[in-house]
Amino acid sequence: RFEPHPKGYYAVGISFLFPTWRWDLDGGIKGVIDGIFGARRDNRIMRLSADKKVEKGRERTEIRIMLVDETGGPKDGGNDGN
């Protein structure tokens, strides 16, 4: 289980791979964020991105979490991979 640092700030990327295009993103985003951070720590998320793709037979959710500074930039000041 992920334990958020009480003073940390985060960038979160979520990819939903659904069996069809008919699934919505919004409910999934809330569920993932609450499941990872809990209701008390989700205010530490400075950046959030989400996308959906179709991969019938290989449905899943992929989550990326990066520690960032209070502006949402990389914590180490370096390249965040974007």
Side-chain angles (χ1 to χ4, degrees):
R1 176 165 163 84
F2 175 74
E3 289 295 329
H5 188 280
K7 294 184 180 179
Y9 296 99
Y10 299 93
V12 179
I14 307 168
S15 295
F16 295 97
L17 292 96
F18 294 124
T20 69
W21 289 111
R22 297 181 66 183
W23 293 76
D24 292 334
L25 282 177
D26 55 349
I29 293 169
K30 179 74 172 146
V32 167
I33 295 301
D34 285 351
I36 293 172
F37 289 90
R40 295 179 309 231
R41 296 234 194 272
D42 62 357
N43 65 335
R44 307 302 286 187
I45 298 171
M46 303 305 287
R47 282 193 298 165
L48 175 64
S49 65
D51 59 74
K52 75 175 178 179
K53 302 172 187 168
V54 171
E55 250 191 69
K56 192 170 185 171
R58 288 186 31 91
E59 299 87 359
R60 63 192 180 279
T61 301
E62 298 175 349
I63 304 163
R64 298 162 305 284
I65 301 172
M66 185 173 72
L67 193 60
V68 296
D69 64 22
E70 64 276 358
T71 67
K75 185 70 172 168
D76 63 4
N79 184 353
D80 68 357
N82 290 330

